[in-house]
Amino acid sequence: MKTILLNDGNSMPIVGFGTYKAKDQEGIDAVKHALLNGYRSIDTAAAYGNEDAVGKGIKASGIPRDEIFVTTKLWREELGYKTAKEAFEKSLKKLGLDYIDLYLIHWPANAKNYDNWQQTNAETWRAMEELQADGKIKSIGVSNFFQEHLEALFATAKVKPAVNQIEFHPGYWQQELVNYCKKQNIAVESWSPLGRGEVFENEHLKEIAKTHDTSVAKVCLRWIVQHEVIAIPKSTTEERIEENINLFDFELSNEEMNLINNLPEFGFSGEHPNFWPDRV
Ligand code: NAD
């Protein structure tokens, strides 16, 4: 599996396994199946309510812990120094692990919900830096941060975020933010790489898939990795889990990359860092 070198020296597989809504036995089985079929990176979050299932799936796979890259996230209701530390310990316990490879702030504090959102993010980040220094987290990062949230964080951060996990799929890929992150040496990770299923009806993507005798899912994922962006597709269907990691048997041409880059917007989730808990 190709990896992405993070700005702290750690490496992360370019394709990982998403687990949103994969809970209980279905979640355990999906994680186990993913690991037994080549995935070495699993993405979960406290808010998904499945950290226990993810932990059980990891154990059931029999794959050594140090060969697996585990990401989890701090939920937006736990922002702050003390709450972040407590939430982290809860996640660790639920996962049944003694360290996390990547811990992300799931959503930044925003002006709508906080009198001083900059300070709330800074205090949260300070807790994460300490957890990293204690050896409990290998890499720390953020999710759904716009440039303004990153710039505010840089004012007090001792450690630069290693990753920004953002909505990124052929219908909505936040090009300016991606360019900014790359310039800052922050790895970009795509959430909803298949636009939660919205991509499958797009005629251009269907046509490109036909040219390569492959599926629309693989075209989207291949487009993402050719952007040097990390993808974490989610599925609980065995064949799809296998399909989504098998991306290296074809390549998109520059013309195909450009065509996808320039598709009109579709499939935006409506989730926006400055509006939560509401959608746009
Ligand atoms: P996704 O884009 O991965 O799409 C998943 C949907 O596509 C599922 O309904 C699945 O059945 C279908 N699918 C998957 N593979 C397929 C295939 N090969 N053929 C046909 N259909 C297929 O959506 P997602 O789950 O929203 O995103 C992926 C992961 O990103 C999540 O599971 C989660 O780990 C993470 N995520 C993070 C955030 C965040 O705020 N940081 C937000 C959303 C998701």
Side-chain angles (χ1 to χ4, degrees):
M1 169 60 68
K2 184 177 151 62
T3 55
I4 292 276
L5 180 65
L6 305 179
N7 62 18
D8 57 13
N10 295 323
S11 293
M12 175 171 187
I14 196 159
V15 182
F17 186 62
T19 66
Y20 179 50
K21 292 191 179 161
K23 282 182 155 186
D24 307 322
Q25 193 59 43
E26 189 183 45
I28 299 172
D29 293 344
V31 168
K32 180 180 170 195
H33 192 75
L35 289 169
L36 293 180
N37 284 277
Y39 291 80
R40 287 295 177 272
S41 165
I42 310 287
D43 182 86
T44 180
Y48 302 167
N50 67 357
E51 290 173 306
D52 54 339
V54 168
K56 285 180 186 156
I58 290 171
K59 290 220 167 62
S61 76
I63 293 174
R65 166 70 184 99
D66 62 2
E67 290 178 22
I68 307 172
F69 189 103
V70 180
T71 302
T72 192
K73 313 183 194 86
L74 174 76
W75 188 230
R76 54 198 182 195
E77 276 142 30
E78 314 281 2
L79 294 168
Y81 178 82
K82 191 161 170 279
T83 40
K85 286 211 165 174
E86 286 165 0
F88 173 79
E89 293 300 336
K90 275 190 212 150
S91 286
L92 204 58
K93 204 162 161 205
K94 282 190 183 151
L95 281 157
L97 301 176
D98 52 16
Y99 70 92
I100 298 295
D101 294 275
L102 177 64
Y103 196 47
L104 304 176
I105 299 182
H106 206 145
W107 290 88
N110 59 28
K112 186 167 177 231
N113 295 295
Y114 290 86
D115 291 336
N116 189 340
W117 61 267
Q118 295 91 334
Q119 191 184 6
T120 303
N121 288 333
E123 284 297 288
T124 307
W125 192 248
R126 187 164 67 84
M128 290 172 58
E129 288 174 334
E130 287 181 9
L131 290 165
Q132 184 185 38
D134 290 347
K136 292 183 168 179
I137 309 172
K138 302 252 189 220
S139 296
I140 52 178
V142 296
S143 178
N144 301 302
F145 272 50
F146 283 173
Q147 184 170 335
E148 73 215 55
H149 307 115
L150 287 166
E151 281 171 352
L153 200 67
F154 295 159
T156 52
K158 294 196 189 93
V159 177
K160 202 175 214 186
V163 170
N164 190 9
Q165 186 184 111
I166 58 171
E167 182 167 359
F168 183 114
H169 52 75
Y172 185 80
W173 62 289
Q174 310 194 69
Q175 189 173 5
E176 269 181 40
L177 178 56
V178 170
N179 290 343
Y180 175 75
C181 289
K182 286 188 175 175
K183 219 165 73 195
Q184 292 291 336
N185 197 17
I186 296 171
V188 178
E189 182 173 17
S190 139
W191 63 253
S192 290
L194 306 174
R196 289 190 186 152
E198 288 241 11
V199 297
F200 298 112
E201 297 316 311
N202 186 283
E203 291 305 325
H204 296 287
L205 296 173
K206 281 194 206 167
E207 197 55 44
I208 295 173
K210 215 163 111 193
T211 312
H212 291 278
D213 194 18
T214 190
S215 64
V216 168
K218 283 179 62 166
V219 167
C220 295
L221 296 168
R222 182 71 212 190
W223 170 77
I224 294 169
V225 302
Q226 282 186 222
H227 270 290
E228 295 284 305
V229 166
I230 299 151
I232 45 168
K234 179 252 173 174
S235 174
T236 47
T237 310
E238 292 195 347
E239 301 75 51
R240 288 176 176 174
I241 293 174
E242 292 161 34
E243 178 187 339
N244 293 345
I245 196 177
N246 177 21
L247 303 178
F248 300 94
D249 53 354
F250 73 107
E251 193 173 352
L252 298 174
S253 66
N254 287 341
E255 291 72 26
E256 289 166 332
M257 287 296 291
N258 281 333
L259 195 153
I260 302 174
N261 290 347
N262 291 307
L263 289 176
E265 185 178 313
F266 67 91
F268 172 44
S269 66
E271 294 183 73
H272 189 293
N274 289 337
F275 290 96
W276 67 261
D278 301 318
R279 287 177 182 240
V280 175

